[in-house]
Amino acid sequence: MTLLRHYLYGLLILLLLAGCSTGKMVVRGSQSIMDSSLETMNRETDLELARQAMPANLKLLEGMLIEDPGNTELRLYAAQGFYGYAFGFIELEDPLRAAQLYRRCYDHARIALARTGVKLDPEHSTTADFEAAVSQAGKRAVPGLFWTASCLSNWINLNRDSPASIAELSSAAVMMQRVLDLDETFYHGGAHMFFGVYYGGRSPLFGGNFERAGYHFRRAAEINNDRLLLVDLLYAEYLARQQLDQPAFHSRLTRVIEAPVDLYPEMALVNEIARERAARLLEHENDWF
Amino acid sequence: MSLRRLFVLFMCAALLSASPASWAKRTWQLKFATLAPAGTAWMDLLEAWAEEVRVKSDGRLKFKIYAGGVQGDEPDVLRKIRFGQLHGGAFTGYGIGHFYSPARALELPFLFNSLDEIDYVRERFMPDVEQGYRDNGYELLGWMEVGLVRFFSKNPLYSVDDLRRQRIWQWQGDPMGQAFFDASGIRPVPLSIIDVYTSLSTGLIDTVYGPPLGALALQWFSKTNYVTNVPMANGIGSLIVSRRFFQNLPQDLQKLLKSTGKSTGEKLITATRRDNEASLEVLKAKGLKFTLNEEDLDVAELDRISARAGESLMRSGYIPEPTLSAINQWLAEYRANNKIKEPSAGDSP
């Protein structure tokens, strides 16, 4: 009994010293489960299973974040989760809802970024102040910068009718350029995919640059040993479509559809999402070319 | 069956297939190009137009819209229309210069003082413009605007003299820009619009011009610190189709395309004015400072610039004298009418 009392006192003192609530302790104790959960989600090849499982996982993550709001890793998981759910399952069906989900992704990512010492508020900053703040970001800030920029740019993409959101595209580009400078391989060369879309999805008249887009898509493919089908999907959806290059559009999407399921087991879910989206895009081939 | 009976049957079938019933079933596809990217307010309105035409024509006339400049810039689209690969499109001043250059009188620098003046003159000028397009092989479907053009600069601008000290971009090959710069005694840096953003970054140029929404979309705002309050001109645009395509349509579809095109143009003008106003607020929030207010203006100097630009365009034949006179007359008419309506100092409230 005395031993137990000593143990409890010891635990209490530890908790007080760590400044931790019980909830926070539980969250931190179960973090490895979340790591594994994310890993199995990334390896999922059954899209329907993923579509149904993701909302519950996202709500669990948000619940854990209420207990442990300063947990950067969980924040980034939440950002990544909302991004993946909106992109993979909602955007084509319900763009308005997807825009709201991207906004939640952006909020989580920005909090995570602030935890690494980079407090950014692009919508309420002058261009000069914003660029100065981003230039201070170090390698530790790369994940926060990447997901903040990714979620912001996809939100802008679904709000192109608003001048205020159009203005933020340059903020997303500034953050992504910093990611590229600090670690071009982060999240499977995601910054290269961003710039592939950024330069490939617009007419040169509006700042597009097909040569640069081609370079970034090639680099993203190299970083993934040509196994991430998202690269081909985005190439077709943005660059080939903008260039009115129907053969490239068709062959890239056909490659995505016909690729083996075990092409990249660690990123199977993203590849399956790309496969489903490729089929949807091919349905529009005659409308666009 | 005898050969003669077979021939009669064949003739009957041929006549039946050319009857109004089969004519009514014939369908047309209007291949239409625009620089407006998908998802923008402009593109939403163009899509709504296409849908309205499809529904009201009972599916006989359908648009195939190429958005976001996928068919190239305006010179590319013009060429494709001439070759029959495309049938129509949404154009700005550049294209309008090819359809009927006198219409660009509406873009003369410092000519108008308000949107009301623009609307008044435009309404009276439109029959001439429509006929001018038609004579050159194009049918005007709707009129629109790009918006009031302002200067965006790295250094503050308070006068035309300040402008003369900047490295100003000029849209290469644009006669209107050339006329303005010549008339103002400014030596600009002619560049393709594609090179503007990079040239602002490298310092090759430090001043550009465009409507506020354009400065946001092209991200020029992120490389400049100041924007002028007083606009220099109003950028125009139009929705057109080639006469070759238009004349092949039955009359009811011609009427439908004209009436829906006109109302779409009006909606586009409203949306453009709204978005340009909203863009000014965004520019303020982004830290740009507004210079060159009404009170900074040397009105006499601006009038001289406007007149000189008009004269040089008249000499080159780009805008003929009768057009310029008519516009000045409408403008004087509007100003006189408006003056009468204004209460004088002695009037009781």
Side-chain angles (χ1 to χ4, degrees):
Chain A
M1 195 64 195
T2 328
L3 199 65
L4 183 64
R5 191 177 296 156
H6 274 290
Y7 173 75
L8 285 173
Y9 276 134
L11 185 66
L12 188 65
I13 288 164
L14 262 176
L15 283 173
L16 286 172
L17 280 175
C20 278
S21 68
T22 320
K24 202 180 276 185
M25 288 290 286
V26 172
V27 166
R28 291 190 182 174
S30 56
Q31 187 131 344
S32 67
I33 299 171
M34 283 316 295
D35 298 346
S36 308
S37 171
L38 186 74
E39 200 188 320
T40 64
M41 188 60 87
N42 282 338
R43 287 176 168 272
E44 185 55 63
T45 54
D46 183 333
L47 271 186
E48 200 43 47
L49 198 150
R51 190 195 314 267
Q52 289 186 26
M54 275 182 96
N57 278 349
L58 287 171
K59 286 317 294 173
L60 178 64
L61 266 172
E62 287 199 317
M64 290 165 85
L65 281 166
I66 289 176
E67 293 297 332
D68 191 4
N71 192 321
T72 311
E73 225 162 313
L74 286 185
R75 282 280 170 210
L76 291 169
Y77 284 169
Q80 188 178 341
F82 275 106
Y83 182 96
Y85 183 59
F87 179 81
F89 304 115
I90 307 298
E91 196 175 290
L92 296 181
E93 312 293 339
D94 189 349
L96 279 179
R97 186 170 163 234
Q100 287 166 351
L101 293 168
Y102 283 129
R103 200 66 201 183
R104 280 165 82 169
C105 155
Y106 171 71
D107 291 340
H108 284 301
R110 217 155 52 92
I111 295 170
L113 183 59
R115 297 284 301 174
T116 58
V118 185
K119 287 188 180 168
L120 296 180
D121 188 3
E123 287 160 315
H124 301 96
S125 312
T126 65
T127 308
D129 290 346
F130 183 75
E131 286 179 355
V134 172
S135 71
Q136 297 302 310
K139 209 156 184 172
R140 214 162 61 92
V142 164
L145 273 178
F146 176 79
W147 289 110
T148 305
S150 298
C151 302
L152 179 62
S153 59
N154 279 28
W155 175 80
I156 294 166
N157 202 25
L158 297 177
N159 282 283
R160 292 187 190 187
D161 57 346
S162 145
S165 67
I166 289 170
E168 295 312 324
L169 191 58
S170 64
S171 307
V174 166
M175 287 187 274
M176 230 25 135
Q177 184 57 50
R178 189 70 186 149
V179 173
L180 213 52
D181 295 343
L182 293 167
D183 181 3
E184 64 156 353
T185 64
F186 180 76
Y187 197 72
H188 315 278
H192 282 295
M193 284 186 262
F194 170 91
F195 281 111
V197 171
Y198 182 81
Y199 289 119
R202 284 180 292 166
S203 151
L205 208 61
F206 291 122
N209 185 323
F210 301 150
E211 211 173 304
R212 278 196 203 176
Y215 160 76
H216 286 293
F217 279 126
R218 271 195 306 281
R219 193 71 200 103
E222 279 166 14
I223 288 169
N224 294 288
N225 296 319
D226 214 9
R227 292 184 302 156
L228 191 66
L229 299 174
L230 190 61
V231 180
D232 291 283
L233 178 94
L234 295 175
Y235 185 104
E237 186 173 354
Y238 291 95
L239 182 57
R241 209 184 141 191
Q242 187 67 45
Q243 286 186 297
L244 220 59
D245 185 348
Q246 189 172 4
F249 179 85
H250 193 88
S251 66
R252 293 260 177 173
L253 294 181
T254 307
R255 186 207 167 208
V256 173
I257 289 170
E258 291 174 354
V261 177
D262 60 354
L263 178 68
Y264 195 177
E266 303 92 312
M267 292 298 280
L269 178 61
V270 175
N271 274 358
E272 288 310 311
I273 286 172
R275 197 192 306 276
E276 191 190 44
R277 209 167 155 117
R280 299 279 294 271
L281 291 178
L282 271 177
E283 286 170 13
H284 292 284
E285 188 172 354
N286 288 333
D287 304 330
W288 293 337
F289 295 94
Chain B
M1 192 182 285
S2 72
L3 202 59
R4 185 187 290 174
R5 194 173 281 180
L6 195 67
F7 178 73
V8 170
L9 264 174
F10 175 76
M11 285 305 288
C12 286
L15 282 170
L16 275 173
S17 70
S19 69
S22 76
W23 178 254
K25 277 179 203 153
R26 196 182 151 188
T27 59
W28 285 265
Q29 188 184 51
L30 199 173
K31 291 184 177 176
F32 190 92
T34 172
L35 290 171
T40 57
W42 270 31
M43 192 53 206
D44 289 350
L45 286 168
L46 292 177
E47 278 176 346
W49 178 29
E51 183 58 11
E52 187 185 355
V53 167
R54 189 189 65 80
V55 170
K56 287 187 173 165
S57 70
D58 204 14
R60 287 187 298 142
L61 178 54
K62 287 181 188 163
F63 276 69
K64 183 166 184 172
I65 300 184
Y66 295 94
V70 296
Q71 288 283 1
D73 57 10
E74 290 194 10
D76 295 329
V77 174
L78 266 174
R79 205 172 39 249
K80 288 177 182 177
I81 289 177
R82 284 190 195 124
F83 290 146
Q85 291 166 271
L86 293 171
H87 310 120
F91 286 87
T92 63
Y94 178 90
I96 291 171
H98 285 79
F99 305 140
Y100 183 59
S101 64
R104 296 198 74 191
L106 292 171
E107 286 186 318
L108 275 172
F110 304 115
L111 182 66
F112 299 105
N113 293 331
S114 68
L115 292 175
D116 289 342
E117 285 190 356
I118 291 169
D119 293 342
Y120 183 87
V121 170
R122 176 166 43 90
E123 201 186 317
R124 279 144 190 84
F125 189 26
M126 263 318 107
D128 290 352
V129 174
E130 217 169 331
Q131 191 55 51
Y133 276 47
R134 205 167 285 148
D135 293 343
N136 288 316
Y138 302 96
E139 189 65 34
L140 175 66
L141 300 176
W143 193 258
M144 54 179 201
E145 289 176 353
V146 178
L148 295 171
V149 174
R150 294 155 193 271
F151 287 103
F152 293 81
S153 56
K154 287 195 191 270
N155 307 309
L157 302 173
Y158 295 104
S159 65
V160 177
D161 248 355
D162 285 343
L163 263 176
R164 291 188 185 106
R165 283 190 280 273
Q166 314 304 317
R167 293 187 295 279
I168 304 185
W169 164 64
Q170 183 208 327
W171 197 336
Q172 211 165 32
D174 178 31
M176 289 303 290
Q178 188 66 54
F180 165 71
F181 289 120
D182 286 348
S184 315
I186 293 169
R187 293 181 63 189
V189 182
L191 290 170
S192 155
I193 195 167
I194 296 167
D195 300 320
V196 171
Y197 180 80
T198 318
S199 305
L200 273 172
S201 310
T202 59
L204 178 64
I205 50 173
D206 56 20
T207 305
V208 295
Y209 53 92
L213 184 61
L216 283 183
L218 295 159
Q219 292 162 63
W220 295 348
F221 78 97
S222 65
K223 298 288 166 202
T224 50
N225 307 315
Y226 299 91
V227 51
T228 52
N229 247 328
V230 176
M232 70 168 278
N234 185 38
I236 55 175
S238 52
L239 309 170
I240 64 102
V241 67
S242 72
R243 284 286 292 166
R244 201 165 29 176
F245 181 86
F246 188 76
Q247 278 172 311
N248 273 332
L249 293 175
Q251 274 202 341
D252 67 318
L253 293 187
Q254 288 186 358
K255 268 188 198 161
L256 177 66
L257 206 49
K258 287 283 280 184
S259 64
T260 52
K262 187 168 188 258
S263 62
T264 300
E266 284 159 7
K267 286 177 202 159
L268 282 166
I269 289 178
T270 308
T272 306
R273 289 180 181 180
R274 180 199 63 212
D275 286 351
N276 273 314
E277 273 301 309
S279 301
L280 288 176
E281 292 306 312
V282 177
L283 291 170
K284 266 181 212 161
K286 285 286 163 191
L288 271 82
K289 293 181 182 65
F290 284 68
T291 60
L292 197 68
N293 300 315
E294 290 271 351
E295 57 270 23
D296 300 326
L297 292 177
D298 179 348
V299 179
E301 185 181 21
L302 296 188
D303 285 347
R304 277 197 300 277
I305 290 173
S306 187
R308 272 205 296 264
E311 278 160 25
S312 92
L313 290 162
M314 217 161 64
R315 276 197 303 276
S316 68
Y318 200 69
I319 300 173
E321 193 278 327
T323 301
L324 219 50
S325 305
I327 284 182
N328 280 325
Q329 197 183 325
W330 287 318
L331 207 48
E333 201 175 274
Y334 175 87
R335 286 174 185 168
N337 288 343
N338 253 35
K339 220 176 215 171
I340 292 164
K341 281 178 200 156
E342 277 171 14
S344 66
D347 283 350
S348 56

